[in-house]
Amino acid sequence: MEVIEVEGGHPIEGEVTVEGAKNSALKLMAATIMAPGVTTLTNVPNIADVHVMGKVLKKLGATIDVCDQHTLCIDTSGVDRWETPYELVAQMRASTAVLGPLLSRFGKAVVAMPGGCKIGARKIDMHILGLEALGVKFKIDHGNIHASAPNGITGRVVTLDFASVGATENLMMASVFAKGVTTIDNAAREPEIVDLANMLCEMGADIKGAGSPIIEVRGVKKLHPVTHRVVGDRIEAGTFLAIGGLMDRPITVKGFEPQHLGLVLRKYEEMGLTVERGNRCCTIYRKGPIHPIDIQTLPYPGFPTDMQAQTMCLLSMSDGTCIITENIFENRFMFASELNRMGSDIKIEGHHAIVHGVKKLSGAQVKSPDLRGGAALVMAGLVAEGLTTVSAIHHIDRGYEHFVEKLQSLGAHIVRTNIEDTEEELAS
Ligand code: EPZ
């Protein structure tokens, strides 16, 4: 079983450059389906989820050249299928991002119902309701979603119950060739949505308002391939900046827009961290104690759920008590249970976590519950007394490129290694 072993207490400081955003790259890849020809994506992170999305596109008939480690040349002229295989959707929920592009290109799509995952049910009812409003018909059978637009897609006003990132993206992409104007009201505002809208407009789409709660898409006849650079990954950046808050030595993170972490950085300053914002970079360190502050996750520009575990790690060592409220996913506190094995004092009450700060953490064997929780466990291991062994690190590999190497470059005593499978692993 492959694990990450980290010995705590070593000074961590220096500079790291983050990759392109996982949560943009996956959708940009899906969007290439709508522009037959070769689209070149640069600053693409070399991570497991991108490899899975590449498999999905190849299954549909695309060809992909990895021009260099972070540049993909995706030729979708040969895409002639519209059914995504269950095993890939089960592996990565984001595969459902091909639903909108396939409907735009073929007027039909078959996508496996995404299963839930550890952080929640991950339904797509809002995607379906929104697309139905645009004239798409759905049939669900044998675990597959059969979508078709027999009379084409017609622009309408669609109001989302919740500012869902995935639903906003699928509706935006499904509307690109629609008859008339589609208005997405209560749209998600994440920077990754803006990145997707920017690329679609570069391809010839007519989209206004991305980044605001109201997005307007005017149907056009066709899109053409482009070259597009993926926006920097604000969550990878936030993860390393949170690590900068662990100690009194500066960590500088490059390759992202600090304003994409606006509220996170303001909360970190309230927690007593020193934050120096620069041009596509930011430096964080801490001289005094971590102050306890209450956090509640909300859609952008609210506090991002993807930064909840990393921030909980910091607050677990604050000099007081605070409450973290998770409003986006119904089960995203598994990290807290693992962190308690390292000596933190966190009680879960529904979607609140009551965090009593402790003086120190101690190394332990822990298991990554999900992508961000896994990264936060490694983060805890950097300051815990003794050795921390983190298992189920495939979660981390889904969204962090060279995570161990980047931490080694900052001075961490950390390695990836293989250990005997535990009884539990062998049983699972
Ligand atoms: C995207 O997931 C991200 N994933 C998530 O990042 C991120 O946490 C999330 O947005 C919120 O910012 C990708 O972009 C690949 P949602 P998504 O639709 O699109 C419920 C990470 O760690 N919901 O905004 O699935 C849903 O179950 C990952 O990088 C419905 O009920 O997020 C969830 O509880 C984790 N019905 C909430 O809304 C729907 O039709 C937010 O979902 C759609 C969503």
Side-chain angles (χ1 to χ4, degrees):
M1 169 175 68
E2 203 178 14
V3 298
I4 288 176
E5 286 184 346
V6 48
E7 192 179 78
H10 299 278
I12 308 286
E13 66 176 307
E15 207 172 274
V16 68
T17 299
V18 294
E19 316 300 336
K22 165 179 87 80
N23 292 348
S24 176
L26 297 176
K27 294 43 164 318
L28 298 174
M29 290 173 75
T32 62
I33 291 169
M34 297 186 287
V38 180
T39 288
T40 301
L41 295 179
T42 62
N43 198 34
V44 179
N46 184 12
I47 53 176
D49 273 8
V50 164
H51 305 154
V52 173
M53 184 56 87
K55 285 182 195 162
V56 171
L57 292 181
K58 286 178 192 159
K59 280 275 184 188
L60 297 172
T63 56
I64 301 180
D65 286 333
V66 183
C67 312
D68 68 44
Q69 216 199 15
H70 297 118
T71 301
L72 298 184
C73 298
I74 303 173
D75 185 349
T76 59
S77 39
V79 171
D80 57 2
R81 290 186 285 284
W82 48 83
E83 179 159 352
T84 56
Y86 168 74
E87 66 276 4
L88 292 175
V89 179
Q91 209 176 326
M92 182 184 67
R93 180 181 183 284
S95 312
T96 53
V98 300
L99 181 56
L102 290 174
L103 282 167
S104 279
R105 179 158 175 177
F106 296 111
K108 52 189 172 184
V110 180
V111 177
M113 276 296 275
C117 67
K118 287 191 174 169
I119 63 177
R122 310 301 299 270
K123 300 181 297 183
I124 59 167
D125 51 323
M126 285 188 270
H127 300 233
I128 291 173
L129 281 173
L131 291 168
E132 282 177 335
L134 302 183
V136 180
K137 308 286 179 220
F138 286 90
K139 196 161 66 68
I140 295 178
D141 81 281
H142 298 97
N144 279 323
I145 301 169
H146 295 259
S148 65
N151 308 315
I153 293 177
T154 307
R156 289 273 191 294
V157 176
V158 178
T159 302
L160 291 174
D161 288 0
F162 172 86
S164 152
V165 169
T168 301
E169 291 162 339
N170 258 327
L171 285 168
M172 193 159 71
M173 293 190 281
S175 305
V176 164
F177 302 138
K179 289 189 282 296
V181 180
T182 301
T183 301
I184 307 169
D185 197 355
N186 194 20
R189 300 171 51 188
E190 275 71 2
E192 294 76 29
I193 303 259
V194 175
D195 196 30
L196 174 60
N198 287 344
M199 186 185 81
L200 291 171
C201 290
E202 289 155 18
M203 289 177 155
D206 180 349
I207 300 171
K208 292 188 175 46
S212 84
I214 298 181
I215 297 177
E216 266 195 4
V217 184
R218 279 170 178 71
V220 297
K221 290 281 172 260
K222 67 183 183 64
L223 297 187
H224 54 78
V226 293
T227 294
H228 181 86
R229 179 181 174 80
V230 182
V231 68
D233 193 323
R234 63 191 167 100
I235 304 300
E236 185 189 9
T239 304
F240 283 104
L241 290 169
I243 289 168
L246 290 173
M247 295 182 180
D248 60 353
R249 312 220 181 180
I251 286 191
T252 296
V253 179
K254 296 186 164 184
F256 82 109
E257 304 294 343
Q259 70 265 23
H260 291 166
L261 279 177
L263 184 59
V264 174
L265 297 177
R266 286 199 297 282
K267 289 292 181 186
Y268 283 8
E269 286 172 320
E270 281 177 47
M271 286 161 63
L273 278 50
T274 301
V275 178
E276 292 162 0
R277 298 166 183 77
N279 176 20
R280 288 181 51 75
C281 68
C282 185
T283 298
I284 283 197
Y285 58 94
R286 173 169 61 88
K287 286 295 179 214
I290 296 174
H291 306 313
I293 59 148
D294 292 344
I295 296 279
Q296 54 169 328
T297 65
L298 285 168
Y300 192 90
F303 196 93
T305 175
D306 294 347
M307 282 300 299
Q308 182 248 98
Q310 302 92 314
T311 306
M312 184 185 282
C313 178
L314 284 175
L315 290 169
S316 74
M317 291 172 281
S318 76
D319 56 2
T321 296
C322 61
I323 296 178
I324 297 178
T325 304
E326 172 56 56
N327 294 309
I328 307 295
F329 290 103
E330 60 267 37
N331 186 27
R332 204 172 193 177
F333 282 142
M334 289 89 61
F335 162 72
S337 321
E338 291 300 303
L339 195 64
N340 280 342
R341 290 174 44 69
M342 298 177 70
S344 67
D345 180 1
I346 302 169
K347 287 173 185 51
I348 306 300
E349 305 278 345
H351 68 149
H352 301 291
I354 295 101
V355 183
H356 301 285
V358 295
K359 287 269 171 287
K360 65 177 179 59
L361 298 173
S362 54
Q365 289 188 327
V366 287
K367 188 171 183 181
S368 301
D370 66 82
L371 162 58
R372 307 301 173 185
L377 286 168
V378 173
M379 173 180 164
L382 295 171
V383 287
E385 219 162 58
L387 186 71
T388 296
T389 303
V390 182
S391 62
I393 57 175
H394 59 278
H395 286 296
I396 300 175
D397 294 338
R398 291 187 50 193
Y400 290 93
E401 181 183 335
H402 295 145
F403 192 53
V404 166
E405 292 80 355
K406 285 171 179 167
L407 288 169
Q408 285 167 342
S409 74
L410 296 172
H413 288 212
I414 181 171
V415 291
R416 282 178 89 105
T417 182
N418 276 294
I419 63 170
E420 282 304 301
D421 277 356
T422 60
E423 290 301 308
E424 185 197 348
E425 287 298 323
L426 290 171
S428 66

